[in-house]
Amino acid sequence: MLSLKPIIVMLTAKPVWFEGLWFRKVDGAAAYAKVRPDALPLPAAWVVRSADKGEPIGERLDRDEPEFDVVIAIENARSHEPGETDEQLLKYRQAVYRLLRGEEGAPDTRPIIWRGGRVIEYTDGDLYWADRYSFEGVINNYLPDPAGFNSVNYTGGTL
Protein backbone atom coordinates (compact mmCIF):
# COMPACT_ATOMS: atom_id res chain seq x y z
CA MET A 1 0.00 0.00 0.00
CA LEU A 2 2.69 2.41 -1.09
CA SER A 3 1.97 5.56 -3.07
CA LEU A 4 2.59 5.76 -6.81
CA LYS A 5 2.57 9.56 -6.85
CA PRO A 6 6.40 9.75 -6.88
CA ILE A 7 6.35 7.69 -10.10
CA ILE A 8 4.04 10.20 -11.78
CA VAL A 9 6.37 13.00 -10.69
CA MET A 10 9.38 11.14 -12.16
CA LEU A 11 7.68 10.98 -15.55
CA THR A 12 6.24 14.49 -15.70
CA ALA A 13 9.27 16.59 -16.64
CA LYS A 14 10.93 16.03 -20.00
CA PRO A 15 14.43 14.59 -19.56
CA VAL A 16 17.19 16.79 -21.01
CA TRP A 17 18.51 13.86 -23.06
CA PHE A 18 15.15 13.07 -24.74
CA GLU A 19 14.82 14.32 -28.29
CA GLY A 20 11.35 15.21 -29.51
CA LEU A 21 8.00 15.96 -27.96
CA TRP A 22 7.58 14.67 -24.38
CA PHE A 23 4.29 13.52 -22.87
CA ARG A 24 1.75 16.33 -22.98
CA LYS A 25 -0.06 14.72 -20.07
CA VAL A 26 1.19 12.41 -17.30
CA ASP A 27 -1.42 11.39 -14.76
CA GLY A 28 -2.81 8.57 -12.62
CA ALA A 29 -5.56 5.98 -12.75
CA ALA A 30 -8.49 8.36 -12.19
CA ALA A 31 -7.53 10.41 -15.25
CA TYR A 32 -6.92 7.26 -17.30
CA ALA A 33 -10.44 6.04 -16.52
CA LYS A 34 -11.86 9.21 -18.09
CA VAL A 35 -9.83 9.10 -21.31
CA ARG A 36 -11.66 10.41 -24.36
CA PRO A 37 -9.33 9.59 -27.25
CA ASP A 38 -10.90 12.23 -29.50
CA ALA A 39 -9.98 14.99 -27.01
CA LEU A 40 -6.64 13.64 -25.90
CA PRO A 41 -3.38 15.50 -26.49
CA LEU A 42 -0.88 12.85 -27.57
CA PRO A 43 1.62 11.64 -26.59
CA ALA A 44 0.39 10.94 -23.07
CA ALA A 45 1.17 8.56 -20.20
CA TRP A 46 -0.63 7.28 -17.12
CA VAL A 47 0.60 5.41 -14.05
CA VAL A 48 -2.01 2.81 -13.13
CA ARG A 49 -1.77 0.43 -10.18
CA SER A 50 -2.24 -3.14 -11.33
CA ALA A 51 -1.58 -5.25 -8.21
CA ASP A 52 -0.23 -5.23 -4.67
CA LYS A 53 1.53 -8.39 -3.53
CA GLY A 54 1.94 -8.64 0.22
CA GLU A 55 3.71 -11.00 2.59
CA PRO A 56 3.94 -10.87 6.39
CA ILE A 57 7.49 -10.44 7.69
CA GLY A 58 6.89 -9.59 11.35
CA GLU A 59 4.25 -9.06 14.00
CA ARG A 60 3.05 -5.83 12.41
CA LEU A 61 5.24 -5.65 9.29
CA ASP A 62 4.45 -6.65 5.72
CA ARG A 63 6.52 -6.71 2.58
CA ASP A 64 4.59 -4.87 -0.13
CA GLU A 65 5.32 -5.19 -3.84
CA PRO A 66 3.19 -2.74 -5.79
CA GLU A 67 2.95 -3.49 -9.50
CA PHE A 68 1.95 -0.68 -11.79
CA ASP A 69 1.55 -0.08 -15.50
CA VAL A 70 2.85 2.92 -17.34
CA VAL A 71 0.32 3.28 -20.15
CA ILE A 72 1.75 5.15 -23.13
CA ALA A 73 -0.52 6.59 -25.82
CA ILE A 74 0.87 7.83 -29.12
CA GLU A 75 -0.57 8.66 -32.50
CA ASN A 76 -0.92 5.73 -34.88
CA ALA A 77 -0.83 7.63 -38.12
CA ARG A 78 -0.10 6.18 -41.49
CA SER A 79 3.33 7.17 -42.74
CA HIS A 80 5.58 6.61 -45.73
CA GLU A 81 7.98 4.33 -43.86
CA PRO A 82 7.02 0.90 -42.52
CA GLY A 83 7.53 0.51 -38.75
CA GLU A 84 7.59 4.24 -38.00
CA THR A 85 4.87 3.98 -35.31
CA ASP A 86 6.68 1.10 -33.65
CA GLU A 87 9.93 3.09 -33.62
CA GLN A 88 8.16 6.05 -32.03
CA LEU A 89 6.59 3.81 -29.36
CA LEU A 90 9.95 2.19 -28.69
CA LYS A 91 11.53 5.63 -28.18
CA TYR A 92 8.98 6.48 -25.44
CA ARG A 93 9.17 3.04 -23.84
CA GLN A 94 12.97 3.22 -23.64
CA ALA A 95 12.81 6.73 -22.15
CA VAL A 96 10.35 5.64 -19.43
CA TYR A 97 12.47 2.57 -18.74
CA ARG A 98 15.58 4.74 -18.43
CA LEU A 99 13.80 7.09 -16.00
CA LEU A 100 12.33 4.37 -13.79
CA ARG A 101 14.61 1.32 -13.87
CA GLY A 102 16.75 1.23 -10.76
CA GLU A 103 15.15 4.28 -9.15
CA GLU A 104 13.35 4.10 -5.82
CA GLY A 105 9.58 4.54 -6.13
CA ALA A 106 9.27 5.87 -2.59
CA PRO A 107 11.54 6.40 0.43
CA ASP A 108 12.87 3.18 1.98
CA THR A 109 12.01 0.97 -1.00
CA ARG A 110 13.99 -1.28 -3.30
CA PRO A 111 14.72 -0.10 -6.85
CA ILE A 112 12.04 -0.30 -9.55
CA ILE A 113 12.23 -3.27 -11.92
CA TRP A 114 10.62 -3.83 -15.33
CA ARG A 115 8.20 -6.77 -15.70
CA GLY A 116 7.34 -6.64 -19.41
CA GLY A 117 4.78 -4.96 -21.61
CA ARG A 118 1.75 -5.48 -23.80
CA VAL A 119 -0.42 -3.73 -26.31
CA ILE A 120 -3.72 -2.46 -24.96
CA GLU A 121 -5.24 -1.10 -28.14
CA TYR A 122 -4.38 -0.28 -31.73
CA THR A 123 -6.82 1.94 -33.57
CA ASP A 124 -6.70 3.89 -36.79
CA GLY A 125 -5.63 7.00 -34.89
CA ASP A 126 -3.80 5.95 -31.73
CA LEU A 127 -1.85 3.20 -30.00
CA TYR A 128 -2.00 2.33 -26.29
CA TRP A 129 0.80 0.29 -24.74
CA ALA A 130 1.36 -0.72 -21.09
CA ASP A 131 4.72 -1.58 -19.54
CA ARG A 132 4.57 -3.18 -16.09
CA TYR A 133 6.98 -2.22 -13.32
CA SER A 134 7.24 -3.06 -9.63
CA PHE A 135 9.25 -2.28 -6.50
CA GLU A 136 9.36 -3.58 -2.95
CA GLY A 137 8.83 -1.77 0.31
CA VAL A 138 7.80 -2.44 3.89
CA ILE A 139 4.59 -1.25 5.47
CA ASN A 140 3.93 -1.38 9.19
CA ASN A 141 1.11 -1.09 11.65
CA TYR A 142 3.13 -0.23 14.72
CA LEU A 143 1.62 2.41 16.96
CA PRO A 144 3.68 5.56 17.41
CA ASP A 145 5.56 5.94 20.67
CA PRO A 146 3.60 7.76 23.37
CA ALA A 147 4.40 11.39 24.00
CA GLY A 148 7.11 12.07 26.55
CA PHE A 149 6.32 13.40 30.01
CA ASN A 150 7.95 16.10 32.06
CA SER A 151 6.52 15.41 35.54
CA VAL A 152 4.62 12.83 37.56
CA ASN A 153 1.30 13.67 39.18
CA TYR A 154 0.55 11.58 42.27
CA THR A 155 -3.19 10.81 42.39
CA GLY A 156 -3.28 8.23 45.21
CA GLY A 157 -3.99 8.61 48.91
CA THR A 158 -1.81 10.47 51.37
CA LEU A 159 1.54 9.03 52.28
Side-chain angles (χ1 to χ4, degrees):
M1 295 183 287
L2 299 166
S3 174
L4 296 179
K5 190 172 183 176
I7 308 297
I8 295 170
V9 171
M10 283 184 205
L11 297 177
T12 300
K14 178 182 176 179
V16 294
W17 43 261
F18 187 82
E19 294 182 18
L21 182 63
W22 190 241
F23 299 120
R24 294 180 179 178
K25 181 177 188 71
V26 177
D27 216 326
Y32 180 65
K34 295 182 179 197
V35 168
R36 283 187 27 232
D38 59 327
L40 193 60
L42 298 180
W46 298 268
V47 177
V48 180
R49 186 179 302 273
S50 57
D52 256 344
K53 295 177 184 176
E55 176 184 358
I57 57 173
E59 181 182 341
R60 291 181 178 263
L61 293 174
D62 291 290
R63 183 185 63 79
D64 183 23
E65 184 180 350
E67 289 186 348
F68 60 95
D69 291 336
V70 176
V71 177
I72 298 170
I74 63 169
E75 289 182 17
N76 185 22
R78 204 172 174 132
S79 66
H80 297 290
E81 294 183 36
E84 191 172 316
T85 299
D86 185 61
E87 287 299 313
Q88 183 182 10
L89 175 63
L90 189 56
K91 182 172 102 171
Y92 285 105
R93 289 183 65 208
Q94 289 171 338
V96 170
Y97 178 90
R98 186 172 168 186
L99 286 170
L100 296 182
R101 181 67 172 97
E103 294 296 319
E104 294 182 358
D108 300 322
T109 63
R110 292 186 177 254
I112 296 171
I113 59 174
W114 178 68
R115 298 288 188 178
R118 71 192 188 292
V119 68
I120 294 177
E121 181 177 275
Y122 274 112
T123 69
D124 185 32
D126 48 32
L127 162 62
Y128 288 76
W129 180 274
D131 275 311
R132 182 150 298 171
Y133 293 88
S134 68
F135 61 94
E136 289 183 17
V138 175
I139 55 176
N140 71 65
N141 194 24
Y142 284 108
L143 299 173
D145 290 336
F149 64 92
N150 57 6
S151 66
V152 176
N153 294 327
Y154 180 73
T155 58
T158 57
L159 294 175

